[in-house]
Amino acid sequence: MVAVELGQDDDLARAAVVAAAVLDPEIPVITLEDLGVFRGAVRRQGRVIVTLTPTYTGCPATAAIQFAVEAALLKAGLADARVETVLSPPWTTDDITEAGRAKLLAYGIAPPNQSTPHGLFAEDAVACPRCGATTTTKLSEFGSTACKALWRCDACREPFDYFKCHR
Amino acid sequence: MTTTLASTMQAAIFELSLALGDDALVLGHRLTEWSSRAPMLEEDIALSNLGLDLIGQARLFYTYAGEVEGKGRREDDLAYFRDAAAYRNLLIVELEIGDFAHTIARQFLYAAFVHPYFQALAKSGDARLAEIAAKAVKEMAYHLRHASEWMIRLGDGTAESKRRVTSALDDLWGYTDEMFEVMPGERALIAAGNAPDRTAIKPKWAATVDAVLREATLTRPADRGMQSGGRQGRHTEALDHMLAEMQVLARQHPGATW
Ligand SMILES: [Zn+2]
């Protein structure tokens, strides 16, 4: 979903690369592109506009992400570039890239399920990010941040974060 | 569309955005009152996070309301510089948090309504309302699931938990009808396909409520003494107290930054 108009416009291309590579403040191993919140860069009335989308509407990291992108653009010499937030289409965990899912797993966070229906009383089956066992138990629907739940592996007994499915 | 019709529609969109923002902000604020005092750590975090979702939704609705109104009011102006009489929220969201069972029962009754309401609003002809609803509906699905699981746990739990959740349902039931009251300006929005008809949401709400109450071995209270007035600014004293605390800092130091 990353839309960049490439070509002769070096600043635009650079803004996209810089913004996409900013790390998520809460999970500092994945980039905004991995997370799927970087939506693209365009030029409007001569000005470079970087667009981001929030994960949850009340996510406290949204403002931090915007500041981080603005700071990165400034550092890259793109002081004139602006950051805009778009709501549509709404972000879902399906927007996390394959690279992002692999990085989450390597970091010890179980990536979100991609097929679980999110109906009432639907229960996720989550594999342990350490040993891969599927005999796991949900300890808490809410973990260290709104987007994560706390689980425990029944095989290796380690607790782990699960990036909750949100779609 | 004539200028009068267009401005009537704009005014109605402002009213609806404001009302939806007020519902979300007031309930969100109530949930954050549990922060550091919930019965268990997990729920402390859960309720705070649910509150954050609602406050995030309120910000989106307020920002849009301010833009539509065109008088330069921003989200903070709408949240902090209106008295209770200017608030348009449903009475059910402003009531004091009560015990944990009251908080859960209210969250359940509200989420069971607003989840299908946002599903329908996501199809609004007004692109902005549609995109806010499409964003918020995903969060409210979670709220509904969380509250439903607790309703079942409390209802089908101990004698004490059942007594408390039954009492909470009885206390709150009289405030549920207001969710389906169509505001005067809303009729034009419904006719134009810009807002869903609240009365059409009621069967879906009732089906969810009945299914969860059945599993929770709880009985649906009888409809009597139904309250309303929130949409007209006639609120309970509870809202005055809540706003006094919520607004004091912004009013003492207008425009403060840190
Ligand atoms: Zn394991």
Side-chain angles (χ1 to χ4, degrees), chain B residues 18-160:
Chain B
L18 191 67
L20 294 174
D22 287 346
D23 287 346
L25 180 68
V26 173
L27 185 56
H29 190 274
R30 284 301 188 200
L31 284 174
T32 62
E33 289 177 32
W34 281 100
S35 197
S36 82
R37 56 196 81 170
M40 56 211 276
L41 192 55
E42 172 183 347
E43 278 311 302
D44 205 299
I45 300 167
L47 295 174
S48 300
N49 276 318
L50 300 181
L52 270 180
D53 283 343
L54 290 164
I55 291 166
Q57 293 166 20
R59 295 181 62 181
L60 296 175
F61 283 122
Y62 282 159
T63 299
Y64 186 40
E67 288 172 20
V68 169
E69 187 190 36
K71 292 180 185 167
R73 287 204 282 183
R74 293 155 51 106
E75 50 174 326
D76 282 1
D77 300 314
L78 292 170
Y80 295 117
F81 295 92
R82 281 182 305 141
D83 294 328
Y87 265 72
R88 292 291 176 264
N89 60 275
L90 300 164
L91 297 176
I92 193 169
V93 298
E94 75 193 39
L95 304 173
E96 285 175 10
I97 56 175
D99 62 10
F100 183 67
H102 270 80
T103 286
I104 289 298
R106 164 166 60 192
Q107 205 63 24
F108 169 64
L109 294 170
Y110 176 76
F113 158 69
V114 87
H115 179 254
Y117 181 80
F118 281 165
Q119 276 180 328
L121 185 63
K123 300 185 188 97
S124 168
D126 183 280
R128 186 77 166 270
L129 286 176
E131 70 176 10
I132 297 173
K135 187 85 193 145
V137 72
K138 297 173 186 300
E139 293 159 0
M140 296 321 294
Y142 223 88
H143 290 217
L144 180 56
R145 181 174 161 193
H146 171 264
S148 298
E149 286 176 354
W150 269 110
M151 287 300 288
I152 293 161
R153 209 161 148 187
L154 294 173
D156 198 17
T158 66
E160 175 70 0

Side-chain angles (χ1 to χ4, degrees), chain A residues 127-136 152-158 160:
Chain A
C128 170
R130 286 171 216 282
C131 72
T134 49
T135 47
T136 55
R152 185 188 55 216
C153 177
D154 299 328
C156 72
R157 312 299 295 168
E158 289 290 328
F160 63 91

Side-chain angles (χ1 to χ4, degrees), chain A residues 101-149:
Chain A
R101 296 175 61 83
K103 289 178 194 173
L104 285 175
L105 194 61
Y107 191 58
I109 298 174
N113 283 338
Q114 288 169 302
S115 55
T116 323
H118 206 99
L120 206 55
F121 310 121
E123 198 52 86
D124 285 318
V126 178
C128 170
R130 286 171 216 282
C131 72
T134 49
T135 47
T136 55
T137 309
K138 182 172 77 181
L139 296 179
S140 168
E141 190 74 46
F142 292 85
S144 53
T145 64
C147 58
K148 284 177 253 143

